[in-house]
Amino acid sequence: MKQLFVLDPLEQINPSKDSSAALMQAAQRASIEVWACTPSDLHAQGDQVWVKASHVKPEPWIDYIKTVNKPSSDFDCIWMRKDPPVDQPFLYATHLLDVAERNGILVINKPASLRAWNEKLGALRFSHLMAPTLVGSGIEELIEFVLHHKEIVIKPLGGKGGEGVIRMSSSAAGMEALFELVTNKGKLPVMLQRFLPEVIHGDKRILLVNGEPLGAINRRPKVGDFRSNLAVGGQAEETELSTREEEICTAIAPALKEEGLFFVGIDVIDGMLSEINVTSPTGIREVEKLMSIPLADQIIDRLTDNFS
């Protein structure tokens, strides 16, 4: 079996923390040939997608064997693991992967769903599981939402890792000016959610494989911050799923499976769904370390079961 990982340049990856590295190493342990490329290495000739791919041994990180131009049909599975932003190069890569998928190649996650499931907006499909939320660019409506809920967070729709997330109180000065800034004077929509004070006790990252939760960590904000993302200093802690969190996973699983979202990371705060991360979910290393679960190996096993 051969698997191709489409991701950021390998020299930029920290294998001790990166979930893509964990998956690549697990694939090698399962005697799978591991190949890697960046989105710019994909190209189409007629109705066939080709790739300038490097055959690698990811464990120990990383040994290049050879780089060749290959048809995508040489691979049993292609992982699209390029980190956000979901910009034009990312979107064009998913269109090329659409072509590979039409030719019978399994692409994880499904390219069309990567485009359709914005990691903030995708959760709105399950708004009944979320804290009160508003998405829009109308400054009057945004201010009204803040005044009603008293304390909120502002999230840019294209953000990642907690970047650009702002906490705001209804008593804050300069509210209109801030909304003019973050919406580009009413042209760019943003997400507002009621602030959940329980976030000081953590934001739970739950990793689902084909709709089933296989691992989770609690991410506690650093002192002086409300954001719990590991990228901005949040601390990972071991955890277990509550009944409410299991119910959330059960509720969203059918849609994830139906739309080809094989590997997903959801964020839950105080029993409220916050985000559904589908581009390159993180957290495998932390789950493996804190929970003593060989999660990457389990994910690869679940995937290879599809070919047996």
Side-chain angles (χ1 to χ4, degrees):
M1 178 177 287
K2 298 178 183 178
Q3 293 187 7
L4 173 67
F5 289 78
V6 183
L7 68 178
D8 290 297
L10 295 175
E11 59 269 19
Q12 297 180 13
I13 290 175
N14 180 348
S16 67
K17 296 182 178 296
D18 193 273
S19 291
S20 295
L23 291 166
M24 294 169 72
Q25 291 173 341
Q28 179 181 314
R29 290 192 293 270
S31 300
I32 294 169
E33 276 192 27
V34 178
W35 294 71
C37 74
T38 66
S40 62
D41 293 319
L42 299 169
H43 57 282
Q45 296 181 26
D47 65 349
Q48 176 68 270
V49 170
W50 288 70
V51 55
K52 183 181 178 182
S54 296
H55 184 195
V56 297
K57 286 187 177 179
E59 192 170 21
W61 194 261
I62 191 165
D63 184 17
Y64 289 83
I65 299 173
K66 60 182 177 180
T67 299
V68 296
N69 196 37
K70 296 170 65 67
S72 61
S73 56
D74 276 8
F75 301 103
D76 301 285
C77 171
I78 299 175
W79 290 84
M80 178 52 169
R81 291 282 305 173
K82 172 69 176 69
D83 284 343
V86 179
D87 52 12
Q88 280 191 318
F90 185 102
L91 292 173
Y92 291 148
T94 66
H95 285 294
L96 289 171
L97 292 173
D98 277 335
V99 179
E101 187 180 55
R102 287 197 294 272
N103 288 329
I105 309 304
L106 176 64
V107 182
I108 299 172
N109 284 317
K110 186 178 179 66
S113 294
L114 290 176
R115 295 191 296 271
W117 286 67
N118 173 278
E119 298 190 334
K120 305 294 189 298
L121 297 177
L124 293 177
R125 302 175 187 224
F126 311 98
S127 60
H128 62 289
L129 303 174
M130 301 173 67
T133 299
L134 172 69
V135 177
S137 55
I139 293 174
E140 289 184 6
E141 290 79 8
L142 298 176
I143 291 175
E144 183 179 345
F145 186 87
V146 180
L147 295 176
H148 178 72
H149 291 287
K150 308 304 181 186
E151 195 162 10
I152 60 97
V153 292
I154 306 170
K155 296 181 178 181
L157 298 182
K160 64 180 179 68
E163 294 175 356
V165 178
I166 301 168
R167 179 177 171 183
M168 173 184 282
S169 168
S170 59
S171 62
M175 190 185 307
E176 183 173 352
L178 178 60
F179 281 134
E180 288 177 352
L181 178 64
V182 299
T183 66
N184 190 20
K185 295 186 177 180
K187 300 183 182 70
L188 183 69
V190 294
M191 173 177 278
L192 270 58
Q193 288 182 321
R194 187 182 71 196
F195 176 70
L196 299 173
E198 289 299 311
V199 73
I200 64 170
H201 301 302
D203 168 356
K204 200 165 289 188
R205 164 59 58 90
I206 305 171
L207 295 174
L208 296 95
V209 178
N210 203 25
E212 180 183 353
L214 292 190
I217 54 170
N218 190 51
R219 302 174 300 178
R220 189 179 293 269
K222 67 181 180 181
V223 175
D225 203 342
F226 69 96
R227 298 171 301 168
S228 55
N229 309 76
L230 301 182
V232 294
Q235 295 298 309
E237 303 172 338
E238 62 180 298
T239 191
E240 295 182 355
L241 296 188
S242 68
T243 300
R244 167 67 174 175
E245 290 157 354
E246 290 175 348
E247 291 172 349
I248 290 173
C249 293
T250 299
I252 70 175
L256 299 181
K257 290 191 286 187
E258 181 179 350
E259 301 207 23
L261 294 169
F262 177 80
F263 182 42
V264 168
I266 68 170
D267 298 335
V268 179
I269 303 171
D270 192 26
M272 296 287 184
L273 178 65
S274 176
E275 296 182 13
I276 301 177
N277 298 274
V278 302
T279 52
S280 57
T282 61
I284 291 178
R285 292 297 198 199
E286 290 78 14
V287 169
E288 291 182 332
K289 179 180 178 181
L290 293 168
M291 307 302 291
S292 299
I293 298 172
L295 181 57
D297 297 277
Q298 292 178 357
I299 294 169
I300 294 298
D301 287 345
R302 296 295 178 93
L303 178 59
T304 54
D305 284 346
N306 293 335
F307 295 95
S308 59

